[in-house]
């Protein structure tokens, strides 16, 4: 069973302590940090890279909903979010930012555990949808619907993140494949010498790059923007190519 790193965020001390207690008594959850405002939470999320954030909505200066929207725009892997709030009218808005669940205060441990289990199931399904079966990294297996599909690394053009899925774009003779796995999980399995993360939503095959500009990569007719966080690393590689 996976262990999910968690951050708890709530401006009410009693509510925050309750979530902390629930996390601590759940075997597959690990509390890595907690705070009472969304501004600090953003820094903690960048530092700790949690899998899951239990996030209050009504907070001063920056609300939990605003933080969730900002996270969608940030580079890197986006943690799963479970909202905790005393107001039920935020439910629809919460799902617009891909929240996994929505806990209405006061909630019981049973309700909390149900939400946590939902995140665990999504995480384990994603991690189980990938296999590396070649020691020389010539191919991978991705779970596509109900079957394992073998994909040769040399045929991958680029990989695109689509929420909880990735789409692997293949050479012109083949149709791309869609698999329930995070871009981060797939990135960790691919050989660094052949693939590079250049944007929070894209991994590219270095061998398939046809042209580059200061801020973009071209693979065939597709233009992919290099994210601010990845520019320095990509520049290092480009400098080696241009020597």
């Amino acid at each position: 069973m996976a262990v999910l790193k968690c951050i708890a965020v709530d401006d009410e001390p009693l509510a925050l302590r309750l979530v902390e207690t629930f996390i601590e008594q759940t075997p597959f959850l690990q509390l890595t940090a907690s705070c009472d405002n969304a501004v600090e939470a953003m820094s903690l999320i960048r530092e700790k890279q949690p899998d899951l954030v239990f996030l209050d909505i009504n907070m001063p200066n920056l609300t939990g909903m605003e933080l969730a929207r900002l996270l969608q725009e940030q580079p890197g892997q986006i943690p799963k979010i479970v909202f905790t709030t005393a107001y039920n009218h935020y439910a629809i808005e919460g799902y617009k930012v891909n929240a996994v669940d929505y806990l209405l205060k006061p909630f019981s441990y049973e309700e909390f555990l149900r939400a946590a289990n939902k995140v665990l199931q999504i995480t384990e399904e994603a991690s189980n949808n990938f296999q590396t079966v070649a020691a020389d990294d010539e191919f991978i297996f991705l779970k596509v619907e109900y079957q394992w599909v073998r994909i040769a690394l040399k045929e991958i053009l680029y990989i695109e993140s689509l929420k909880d899925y990735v789409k692997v774009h293949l050479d012109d003779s083949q149709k791309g494949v869609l698999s329930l796995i995070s871009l981060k999980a797939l990135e960790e399995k691919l050989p660094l010498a052949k693939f590079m993360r250049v944007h929070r939503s894209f991994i590219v095959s270095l061998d398939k790059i046809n042209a580059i500009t200061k801020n973009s990569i071209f693979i065939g007719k597709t233009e992919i923007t290099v994210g601010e966080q990845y520019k320095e690393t990509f520049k290092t590689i480009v400098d080696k190519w241009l020597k």
Side-chain angles (χ1 to χ4, degrees), residues 196-198 212-214 217 226-243:
M196 182 180 176
R197 180 84 168 262
V198 297
I212 55 176
T213 66
K214 183 178 180 181
I217 292 168
V226 179
E228 197 65 37
Q229 178 179 345
Y230 306 95
K231 283 184 179 179
E232 193 61 36
T233 304
F234 184 67
K235 181 179 181 298
T236 301
I237 292 177
V238 171
D239 287 344
K240 291 180 181 179
W241 290 345
L242 299 179
K243 280 184 178 180

Side-chain angles (χ1 to χ4, degrees), residues 86-221:
Y87 304 92
N88 59 16
H89 60 273
Y90 287 113
I92 294 177
E93 193 175 356
Y95 288 114
K96 287 182 180 179
V97 293
N98 300 320
V100 175
D101 214 337
Y102 182 98
L103 293 172
L104 189 62
K105 298 175 182 178
F107 49 86
S108 65
Y109 179 63
E110 180 184 358
E111 293 170 304
F112 174 91
L113 186 58
R114 190 179 297 118
N117 271 316
K118 190 182 295 186
V119 177
L120 179 65
Q121 182 179 357
I122 292 171
T123 303
E124 290 189 334
E125 284 179 357
S127 64
N128 289 337
N129 278 359
F130 179 88
Q131 284 186 355
T132 302
V133 296
D136 55 2
D137 286 321
E138 291 181 354
F139 60 86
I140 59 175
F141 270 83
L142 280 178
K143 194 171 185 181
V144 180
E145 295 182 347
Y146 301 105
Q147 60 182 342
W148 290 94
V149 176
R150 173 172 164 155
I151 302 170
L153 297 184
K154 65 181 181 181
E155 295 172 349
I156 298 175
L157 299 175
Y158 62 94
I159 303 166
E160 180 181 8
S161 175
L162 301 172
K163 296 183 179 178
D164 292 324
Y165 290 80
V166 298
K167 183 173 184 180
V168 180
H169 296 263
L170 303 171
D171 63 31
D172 294 337
S173 64
Q174 301 180 71
K175 184 179 179 181
V177 298
L178 194 68
S179 181
L180 178 61
I181 183 175
S182 72
L183 197 65
K184 180 180 180 182
L186 185 51
E187 178 188 11
E188 291 173 350
K189 303 294 184 180
L190 294 170
L192 293 174
K194 298 180 180 179
F195 294 89
M196 182 180 176
R197 180 84 168 262
V198 297
H199 187 275
R200 69 183 181 89
S201 299
F202 290 96
I203 295 172
V204 300
S205 171
L206 296 174
D207 290 339
K208 302 297 184 180
I209 296 174
N210 302 117
I212 55 176
T213 66
K214 183 178 180 181
N215 299 310
S216 297
I217 292 168
F218 291 85
I219 297 179
K221 296 181 179 179

